[in-house]
Amino acid sequence: MDSSTEMLPTQDCATHELASVQQGIWLDQIAHPDLPYYNIGMSLEIKGEIDIPLFEKAIELVANNHDALRLSFSHEGGIGRQRVLPEVKVKLEVVEFTEAEADAGLAMEYLRNAFRQPFPELTGQLWEARMVRCGPNRHYWLNRYHHLVTDGIGVALIGHAVGAAYNGLLAGNDEVAQGHSYLSFLEDDRAYLQSSRYERDREFWQETYAQLPPSLLQRRADFKTGQANELAPSAQVQAMLPRALYNALTEFASERSLSVAHVLISVVATYFCRTVGVDEMVIGMPVHNRTNARTKETAGMFSSVSPIRLPVDLDASLLDLMHAAGGQLRRCYRHQRFPIAELNRILRLAQTGRRQLFDVSLSFESLDGDDQFGGTSSTVITMDNGYEQTPMAIFVRDYHPFEDVHLDFNFNTAYYSVEEARLLQQRIVSMLEAVLEQHDTPVGDYPLMSAAERQRLQVEFNATAREYPRDVLIHTLFEQQVEQRPHHCAVRGDCGPLLSYEQLNRQANQLAHRLIELGVKPDARVAVCLKRSPEMVVALLGVLKAGGAYVPIDPDLPSA
């Protein structure tokens, strides 16, 4: 039980199996109980006065009219089970900050830390709500759910329902519309698992991944953590797509019987295939898995992820790739209901040391974030749990129809540094800006960076001409550096500094003296057969100091 809800007696409440989309989450969370990577939700900044007792009552009314919010989870016989409680009592935790503390960022820091707390033991009700009050006219409503309870669509449905209930209470009306039951989805899910459709879906995905694609991204060589496959923490870089650009891309796509999703997935695939050097890419695309009007209005956990395998022809135009992506998405969406966890199990993906078939995911979140609570205005504040499972997860978040669109890059720090993620983000934005004018450009020639970055890389970074004394030998110039900065780093590897100037000079001198003893004379040629290493640097410098000329030989060449 968490701080926001009080469970009432559970007798006469039948337990139910987890839905297929819940089971993979349950097992993964059990394996990593201290990580909050299945926390989802958001915060709303509410500007104006809020009657907090009434707000608490509104949340309770909604919870008691949506059975997903009355789910209580338990371990039974080594598996997860869930039951719907007949009623819950909600206690809205209120945290106070002064306006000055909020302006200093303390309230946001509190919200981020609270959102990243794991749910202990994975039992009871796995959601909570808190209200952070920063003076009479500034509030933050924090919604934190475990993914077992609901998905992103459900978070939005619950938020709108609470707003409607609160406004009704202000008007003296405490009646709340009964939400559709999540239990009906559990029944439908059990029927699906026994159906011929399930078999067709399984065959489709097995055929699609009869040959497993290689991993797209590799862990950073300079990243240090425990086990090689240990999940590292994540970070986030954020940007805003100008509303005018997003609307123009949407119109461009619509005129060609495409969607803005086809534009984004094609740009992302172009970038990674070009920079990694592959001719296909798998992109994880979250799917709502809500196929009718009833499920679209039901709070609960329905969503899954489809691994979209997209071939990329470098000779075809970007527009051609968009149409190919559209066709592939349509084919995959017909089989979207098949649980990704079950596909991973069938493919024995864990035995290859991988968590998913994809290293990049692309998610679209479009919802009305303009809720009003009485006479207030509200703004959605995105929250991240700090443990993104995918090496690079890209989120396109369209919350307010007249404001710019969020383009967030959540990345696992084992794969990207903040600087690398920010550079990727800037390049994707630049590529999107070029779509309207250069969509007919072949994928292999499509610009991956802005004109300003190309100028910097091709011209400014290559402006390396320097005046230097042309009558001084290289090793003499090096010895001047030794005198000026003996303890500075001279040789660096992936793991950091390896040799200082003084250490390198001393070892090179020792080698030079030995080479002279062995008969090396001025202009004599000395073979150097070493892999890239500190020893190789010592050898090259030592040969020069002895007066010889080094002849590099690849140690991987076959012996004569």
Side-chain angles (χ1 to χ4, degrees), residues 3 17 171 385-386 498:
S3 60
E17 294 180 351
N385 56 45
L498 298 174

Side-chain angles (χ1 to χ4, degrees), residues 2-57:
D2 61 67
S3 60
S4 69
T5 56
E6 177 184 345
M7 292 189 294
L8 296 180
T10 61
Q11 59 264 29
D12 300 324
C13 297
T15 64
H16 306 271
E17 294 180 351
L18 299 179
S20 57
V21 292
Q22 293 175 303
Q23 288 173 357
I25 294 173
W26 174 274
L27 293 173
D28 197 17
Q29 185 70 85
I30 289 294
H32 303 89
D34 299 326
L35 298 182
Y37 58 27
Y38 284 112
N39 287 11
I40 67 167
M42 63 182 178
S43 291
L44 278 180
E45 181 182 15
I46 305 172
K47 297 179 180 178
E49 294 185 6
I50 288 290
D51 185 328
I52 289 182
L54 214 60
F55 202 94
E56 178 182 86
K57 185 176 181 180

Side-chain angles (χ1 to χ4, degrees), residues 33-106:
D34 299 326
L35 298 182
Y37 58 27
Y38 284 112
N39 287 11
I40 67 167
M42 63 182 178
S43 291
L44 278 180
E45 181 182 15
I46 305 172
K47 297 179 180 178
E49 294 185 6
I50 288 290
D51 185 328
I52 289 182
L54 214 60
F55 202 94
E56 178 182 86
K57 185 176 181 180
I59 297 174
E60 184 173 294
L61 285 172
V62 170
N64 286 316
N65 282 276
H66 291 77
D67 57 14
L69 295 180
R70 301 197 310 279
L71 288 174
S72 178
F73 295 86
S74 60
H75 304 255
E76 297 181 18
I79 60 174
R81 303 281 294 183
Q82 56 191 335
R83 69 182 71 207
V84 177
L85 302 177
E87 184 181 3
V88 295
K89 293 291 185 182
V90 173
K91 176 63 178 176
L92 181 64
E93 180 179 350
V94 180
V95 181
E96 301 278 358
F97 284 91
T98 66
E99 292 187 51
E101 289 173 331
D103 290 339
L106 296 181

